[in-house]
Amino acid sequence: MSGEVILPVHVRDLTYADLPHCGWSGSSLHLLVVENELDRAAAGVAEYLAVCAAKTDLPLAIGGIDYELAPAAGSIHQLATMPALQSCGLGTTLMAAAEDRIRGRGLVRAELGVEQENPRARALYERLGYVVFDTRPDSWDEEAPDGTLRRYETVCAIMAKDLRA
Ligand SMILES: CC(C)(COP(=O)(O)OP(=O)(O)OC[C@H]1O[C@@H](n2cnc3c(N)ncnc32)[C@H](O)[C@@H]1OP(=O)(O)O)[C@@H](O)C(=O)NCCC(=O)NCCS
C-alpha cells in the first residue's frame, strides 16, 4: 500500500522552547550552538528560523542567519531538515524565508558555506541561484559517538546570491 499526505507548514522564529524538539538536527553540543544563536538573535545580530507543521507547530526544518559574518550580507547556516522529511521541499521553503528576512533588513546579498563533501546540499543551493565565489577551510567542535569532543576540519565552498535577481 502507498499513500500521499499533504503537510501544511508555516515558517516562524525558532524559540528556546523548540530546542527539546530539535534533537534530530544534531548532537547535544549542536543544540548548545543553536541555543547560542538564539541568544545572538535576541541581540539582533542573527535570526533563526523554523519550518513547522501547521497543526503541531513543531519544527521540521531549521536554519540560521548570521549578520556579522560577512559585510553587507546575511550568511545562512546550520540548515537542517528532519531526515525522514528530506527531499520534500522544506529546505527550499526555509531558504526562501531566510532570503526574505535578509531583504527585510535592507540587504541584497545572501551567503553560505557548504562542505565540498556535501554535493547534494550544494546542488540545492545552485538550483536556488547561489554561485561559488571562494573556498575556505573551516573547523568546529563536534561530539564523537562516545561523547568526547573532537575538532572537525573541512573545506567549504562559499556561495552567494544577489537577492535583487
Ligand atoms: C541540505 C538539506 C537542508 C536540504 O533540505 P531538504 O528539505 O531536503 O531540501 P528540499 O527538499 O527543498 O530540496 C532537496 C531535494 O528535494 C527535491 N524536492 C524539492 N521539493 C520537492 C517536492 N515537493 N517533492 C519531491 N522532491 C522535492 C529537490 O529537487 C532537491 O533534490 P535532491 O534530492 O536531488 O537534492 C537537507 O538535506 C539536510 O538536512 N541535510 C543534512 C544536513 C546538511 O547537509 N545541511 C546543509 C549544510 S550546508
Side-chain angles (χ1 to χ4, degrees):
M1 182 195 155
S2 64
E4 189 176 27
V5 175
I6 294 173
L7 179 63
V9 296
H10 57 251
V11 184
R12 61 166 172 78
D13 291 309
L14 189 76
T15 69
Y16 294 103
D18 291 320
L19 294 177
H21 302 288
C22 294
W24 48 265
S25 69
S27 65
S28 51
L29 175 65
H30 174 72
L31 290 178
L32 285 175
V33 172
V34 175
E35 186 174 2
N36 184 57
E37 289 303 308
L38 293 183
D39 295 343
R40 294 184 66 241
V45 297
E47 294 189 77
Y48 220 101
L49 304 181
V51 182
C52 299
K55 291 239 176 186
T56 63
D57 199 33
L58 292 173
L60 308 172
I62 61 174
I65 312 165
D66 188 336
Y67 293 102
E68 291 190 317
L69 193 62
S75 300
I76 299 170
H77 64 152
Q78 295 171 6
L79 209 68
T81 294
M82 190 179 268
L85 292 173
Q86 289 177 9
S87 294
C88 297
L90 294 170
T92 302
T93 300
L94 188 55
M95 288 292 292
E99 290 172 3
D100 279 348
R101 292 294 185 97
I102 294 168
R103 281 191 207 93
R105 293 208 178 201
L107 301 171
V108 294
R109 182 177 170 89
E111 292 191 12
L112 56 82
V114 60
E115 283 186 83
Q116 286 184 327
E117 296 78 20
N118 197 347
R120 190 174 157 257
R122 178 167 166 166
L124 168 64
Y125 304 141
E126 283 172 346
R127 181 168 61 80
L128 296 176
Y130 287 78
V131 175
V132 176
F133 69 95
D134 199 2
T135 302
R136 292 179 200 152
D138 200 357
S139 63
W140 54 82
D141 288 333
E142 68 170 19
E143 204 171 307
D146 65 1
T148 58
L149 288 187
R150 64 187 176 198
R151 196 72 183 164
Y152 177 74
E153 304 207 346
T154 188
V155 176
C156 288
I158 311 300
M159 309 181 80
K161 178 178 177 180
D162 183 341
L163 299 181
R164 291 168 296 194

